[in-house]
Amino acid sequence: MTPVVSVIIPASNEGQYIGACLRAVLASNPLPRHTLEVLVIANGCTDDTVAVATRFSAMAEPRGWGLRVLDLPTGSKIAALNMGDQHATGAIRVYLDADVIVSPDLLAELTVALASDKPRYATGTPRIPAPASWVTAQYARFWQRLPFFNSNAAGFGLFAVNAAGHARWGHFPDIISDDTFVRLHFTPQERTQVSAPYDWPMAEGLARLVRVRRRQDQGNAQLAALFPKLMQNDDKTQADGWALLKADPVGFGVYATVSGLVRLTRRRDSAGWARGR
């Protein structure tokens, strides 16, 4: 039997984005010695996410690939990820945000990178599409200078593991930052960033940037509190603030403004999965 690569896409009210995401996945170049199954886990949707995703079965079938759309009544990314794992049949698992656009070679390169009996984690090379708003353009330009963005295999929006890697956690706990949780189960030597890119859009506008940044900070603090042993695999380096300021004073100012507003509004937290668009 041909081995399977499973792509798991949690989607909550992603009708505007899921079509482009699936079109890119299903246009991927052939996978070496593997076939593909795609699982869209709609959760808490009140829009047309399910209907849009279901229409892409016609694009998968001629290639001998599978597409299933599962519908959860409650909006929960963690519940969607766990349901995806329950239904996935592939030893290689690719976890993909519904607004991410993969390049044609990415899934094939991930398949090769994860072809090991040892635990392995892999992701692609992230690209930030040109933002529509001025404030997000400044923030995004500066953010791409930070050590985290330029670190090996950061994995935001898209990460993949093989069977031995997935066995390290098995079931997603109730956490905010699923991507960081998974990445920190692997040492830097066990993580690979392939050259094929993927597009990861950034939240538009100051209020949404603050909302997303607050959730990111909450997620990191939560992981440090609940899983302190994982933090030994965190290889982030400290940013040189003075050098960053000199290189991009406007971007630095916008980034500092977002950071300051997060601190000022940190008590106004909201529960649930928020992408911040």
Side-chain angles (χ1 to χ4, degrees), residues 26-62:
L26 295 172
S28 295
N29 290 331
L31 309 184
R33 300 177 300 281
H34 284 69
T35 189
L36 184 72
E37 70 172 6
V38 182
L39 297 100
V40 177
I41 309 4
N43 59 101
C45 292
T46 57
D47 67 352
D48 60 350
T49 295
V50 171
V52 172
T54 301
R55 290 199 291 267
F56 280 84
S57 295
M59 188 174 177
E61 290 169 359

Side-chain angles (χ1 to χ4, degrees), residues 200-213:
W200 182 82
M202 191 164 276
E204 294 286 357
L206 182 61
R208 291 170 178 171
L209 285 170
V210 170
R211 182 184 180 194
V212 171
R213 174 66 182 277

Side-chain angles (χ1 to χ4, degrees), residues 5-163:
V5 173
S6 298
V7 177
I8 297 171
I9 309 174
S12 184
N13 287 334
E14 301 284 4
Q16 184 179 349
Y17 302 92
I18 190 66
C21 176
L22 288 174
R23 188 174 294 109
V25 168
L26 295 172
S28 295
N29 290 331
L31 309 184
R33 300 177 300 281
H34 284 69
T35 189
L36 184 72
E37 70 172 6
V38 182
L39 297 100
V40 177
I41 309 4
N43 59 101
C45 292
T46 57
D47 67 352
D48 60 350
T49 295
V50 171
V52 172
T54 301
R55 290 199 291 267
F56 280 84
S57 295
M59 188 174 177
E61 290 169 359
R63 304 194 66 175
W65 291 350
L67 170 65
R68 283 183 286 170
V69 181
L70 308 174
D71 195 2
L72 282 172
T74 303
S76 167
K77 186 178 185 181
I78 295 301
L81 290 170
N82 285 321
M83 174 170 276
D85 273 339
Q86 291 171 15
H87 288 265
T89 63
I92 293 176
R93 307 281 170 93
V94 181
Y95 301 91
L96 180 64
D97 283 356
D99 56 354
V100 164
I101 305 297
V102 301
S103 59
D105 289 328
L106 180 52
L107 294 182
E109 290 189 14
L110 292 175
T111 302
V112 172
L114 296 171
S116 174
D117 293 331
K118 297 180 180 180
R120 291 291 181 267
Y121 168 104
T123 185
T125 298
R127 298 185 303 201
I128 309 299
S133 65
W134 180 88
V135 67
T136 297
Q138 311 312 307
Y139 186 94
R141 185 182 64 247
F142 183 83
W143 192 69
Q144 290 175 77
R145 296 178 183 271
L146 296 177
F148 173 70
F149 182 87
N150 295 288
S151 63
N152 181 54
F156 48 86
L158 185 154
F159 57 90
V161 296
N162 60 8

